[in-house]
Amino acid sequence: MTGAGAGHPAGREERSAEGAALLVVGDVITDVVARHRGPLAAGTDTAASIRTVPGGAGANVACWAAHRGAAEVRLLGRVGADAAAWHERELAAHGVCPQLVVDPRAPTGTVICLVDRDASAERTFLTDSGASLRLEPADWSDALLDGVARLHLSGYLLFSEPGRALVTVALEAARARGVPVSLDPASAGFLTELGVERFLALVEGVDVLLPSRDEACLLTGLADAADAAAELSLRIPLVVAKQGREGALVARAGKVCARVPAVPATPRDTTGAGDAFTGTFLGALLAGAGPEAAAEEGCRAGARAVERVGGRPPLPG
């Protein structure tokens, strides 16, 4: 429980012995979603519908994996005392086992999502990562991998020095146990600041990379998403490039081996659509699906996600 004390993981759960669990390490964020129509009116008011919802790429992925039916999903994240209990309740309600570290100094990260209510429902993020950027190696325990079949790392971890150090520790621990690791680059903007070569060096040893179209192109310098996915798959065994309304690409060994079509949807809010894809994809892999079938499920989840406000699936029941 979050009451375990500042700076310590909350609520260690009983570990599965069957090796069927998914461990997600990443960000837990409070999203303030403001849906407006048309351009923002500078210097004055713009009417909007505003909701505060739980979010964070890592947390969203964990919730969608649990929604897919993964037997056990654990999430290691760092939050402030201001919203720790709320986030723990929300994660547990979605079937996720939260392992939340309560930061004694920093508040929970907050993202303001400005969503244009016109046809595209595209969004712009204003991000204060708060406590999530302070997740560090001291928050890690190799026991987190007990019973784990897959480890997923949120790319947001790579945008702080403590997070990069944690990625290195987690990757080494997973390799030692033979646990496959996936990673979602998370943000083309932050990726540009980090630098492509630095990113590629940090993710060496990852088994599955799940970039967006923009991230794949940025990481390779190639304008075509298929070429970019194929190029990345020469460095990482499996690359699944998410393309929004154009579906997804699955690439291995320098070739695109599947083009998965998108599922038609009427978007309300595209926040978290990529997380929905990733969480569902990983849940499907855990259940024994192949990459193409898992990507098809991911596309269906992405379509459901854009028809909802916020980045989480509906609560069970």
Side-chain angles (χ1 to χ4, degrees):
M1 304 295 290
T2 49
H8 296 284
R12 297 291 188 202
E13 305 290 338
E14 286 294 317
R15 269 45 175 197
S16 163
E18 291 77 17
L22 170 68
L23 172 63
V24 179
V25 182
D27 45 321
V28 181
I29 297 289
T30 299
D31 284 344
V32 180
V33 182
R35 299 175 64 237
H36 60 93
R37 191 174 299 282
L40 296 172
T44 186
D45 295 320
T46 299
S49 171
I50 300 175
R51 286 181 57 190
T52 299
V53 295
N60 291 344
V61 165
C63 288
W64 281 97
H67 184 72
R68 165 58 179 76
E72 182 182 357
V73 181
R74 305 170 194 164
L75 172 68
L76 175 64
R78 195 173 181 101
V79 294
D82 56 314
W86 177 59
H87 278 292
E88 185 171 67
R89 286 195 304 271
E90 290 289 332
L91 288 163
H94 281 283
V96 175
C97 300
Q99 312 285 314
L100 299 185
V101 180
V102 181
D103 195 292
R105 296 192 299 274
T108 303
T110 300
V111 173
I112 298 175
C113 312
L114 305 176
V115 181
D116 190 335
R117 294 172 66 182
D118 289 338
S120 65
E122 279 303 328
R123 74 274 194 238
T124 300
F125 296 145
L126 301 174
T127 301
D128 178 354
S129 297
S132 68
L133 284 184
R134 291 163 55 84
L135 199 62
E136 61 182 355
D139 300 327
W140 175 263
S141 165
D142 286 357
L144 286 164
L145 290 172
D146 291 351
V148 165
R150 286 189 171 274
L151 168 65
H152 178 72
L153 303 172
S154 169
Y156 282 108
L157 293 169
L158 298 175
F159 305 134
S160 74
E161 193 58 48
R164 288 190 286 272
L166 174 59
V167 165
T168 298
V169 170
L171 273 170
E172 288 177 355
R175 277 198 294 267
R177 295 200 184 197
V179 174
V181 183
S182 56
L183 185 139
D184 187 325
S187 167
F190 287 156
L191 189 54
T192 300
E193 294 179 21
L194 178 67
V196 168
E197 290 306 317
R198 193 177 187 191
F199 173 87
L200 291 172
L202 285 165
V203 302
E204 186 175 347
V206 165
D207 302 275
V208 183
L209 188 70
L210 295 124
S212 68
R213 176 211 302 272
D214 290 346
E215 291 155 3
C217 292
L218 176 62
L219 286 169
T220 58
L222 300 172
D224 181 79
D227 291 343
E231 180 71 18
L232 283 171
S233 72
L234 292 172
R235 305 184 66 137
I236 294 166
L238 177 63
V239 175
V240 183
K242 298 170 286 187
Q243 299 200 96
R245 287 175 291 181
E246 294 183 26
L249 302 167
V250 180
R252 287 183 183 274
K255 295 181 180 179
V256 171
C257 52
R259 296 173 181 264
V260 179
V263 174
T266 302
R268 295 182 65 205
D269 174 14
T270 56
T271 304
D275 302 333
F277 180 102
T278 295
T280 302
F281 177 86
L282 295 174
L285 287 186
L286 274 173
E292 183 174 354
E296 289 171 354
E297 288 198 41
C299 285
R300 290 196 290 272
R304 292 196 299 273
V306 301
E307 295 184 329
R308 299 175 51 79
V309 174
R312 300 276 174 92
L315 287 167

